[in-house]
Amino acid sequence: MSSHTPDLQDSSILSEEFHIEWVRRAEPARRQHPFTPALPVVIDGELTEDIERINLEYPGDLYITPVAHKSTLALAAFVDSKAMLKRAQEMTYDPELRKLLRDHVALGCLDDDDPVKLVLDCRDRKNLHGNILRLFPEAMIPDLSQRQRPNAVGIFNLTWDNAIRSVDACAYPYSVSSDRNFSGVTHFINFRCSFNATSFGYTASSIRNWGTLPPEF
């Protein structure tokens, strides 16, 4: 007795959504949200202003970390997560980056010997006001649309998806991604500053407090 195997090209058997995904299976993964930085962007050591071109030429996962570039606060963008982590490590104790962060974006920065919380606290209003989303060390949330904001105002978004507006200083590095499951545009933060979230908070769909774990993407 022979078993019948469905023809994967037969759209009458498959749902339309599955058929589209099957046809696209060989295409490289594309992120769901465009990269919309609020700071200048550096790629391969050079400043670029053509964000539209970045989104066209780099449609997959991007890894972002703050840097000091020619006395300017900027975002270094990478397609290789290991290259991004190496650059972030180089910037960890950079005095120029710390000064730029204090002068331009931070609500406050802590010195290395200052006490700092181990938890990562995010807020849904600027200046550390509003509801708190707390991540303990090594905690992760792969889908922020599954986390409700208990006192959210309005009718359009009552979850934490795309709702981070400010972040308190944390002892550990953390990452915020524009798509679910830690994909898309991932911002890696490795400095002890409180700040109002720029564009990454408005497109945050997953988040992770790395704690003492070595960051891996």
Side-chain angles (χ1 to χ4, degrees):
M1 180 181 295
S2 62
S3 60
H4 174 67
T5 301
D7 182 358
L8 292 177
Q9 301 302 316
D10 186 353
S11 59
S12 65
I13 297 176
L14 300 173
S15 69
E16 181 180 357
E17 180 180 359
F18 184 87
H19 184 69
I20 292 173
E21 291 302 316
W22 177 260
V23 172
R24 292 179 176 175
R25 67 194 184 281
E27 296 180 2
R30 302 181 70 90
R31 56 181 181 269
Q32 296 178 6
H33 299 92
F35 180 36
T36 55
L39 294 171
V41 177
V42 175
I43 296 180
D44 294 331
E46 297 295 330
L47 200 65
T48 179
E49 298 180 355
D50 194 345
I51 305 304
E52 183 178 357
R53 182 178 178 181
I54 293 175
N55 282 299
L56 286 174
E57 294 187 357
Y58 305 99
D61 291 340
L62 282 178
Y63 303 93
I64 313 297
T65 194
V67 296
H69 179 78
K70 297 181 179 180
S71 302
T72 299
L73 181 63
L75 299 173
F78 301 84
V79 295
D80 182 352
S81 61
K82 291 182 173 58
M84 181 277 291
L85 289 172
K86 180 181 178 182
R87 189 70 176 119
Q89 187 175 20
E90 294 170 351
M91 288 282 101
T92 299
Y93 300 106
D94 184 80
E96 184 180 18
L97 176 59
R98 291 191 177 196
K99 183 178 186 304
L100 289 170
L101 289 168
R102 283 189 169 99
D103 293 347
H104 295 286
V105 299
L107 299 173
C109 292
L110 302 175
D111 293 326
D112 294 333
D113 54 354
D114 289 338
V116 60
K117 295 186 298 185
L118 304 183
V119 297
L120 173 61
D121 282 344
C122 303
R123 302 278 192 144
D124 61 357
R125 294 176 61 190
K126 292 184 177 181
N127 301 317
L128 303 178
H129 296 306
N131 291 299
I132 298 178
L133 175 69
R134 172 165 290 179
L135 284 88
F136 289 91
E138 296 156 25
M140 66 182 80
I141 303 176
D143 185 357
L144 285 169
S145 70
Q146 301 301 310
R147 290 294 182 99
Q148 298 293 314
R149 291 184 289 143
N151 300 308
V153 178
I155 60 175
F156 296 107
N157 183 17
L158 302 181
T159 75
W160 278 98
D161 191 38
N162 305 329
I164 295 174
R165 298 295 177 266
S166 54
V167 184
D168 206 354
C170 179
Y172 296 122
Y174 57 94
S175 57
V176 182
S177 301
S178 64
D179 296 350
R180 290 177 293 178
N181 299 314
F182 316 108
S183 59
V185 179
T186 295
H187 288 76
F188 181 75
I189 310 296
N190 192 27
F191 51 83
R192 299 179 173 190
C193 295
S194 303
F195 61 96
N196 287 325
T198 53
S199 59
F200 85 80
Y202 290 78
T203 58
S205 291
S206 50
I207 188 169
R208 183 168 188 171
N209 178 353
W210 287 97
T212 59
L213 295 175
E216 294 181 344
F217 297 94

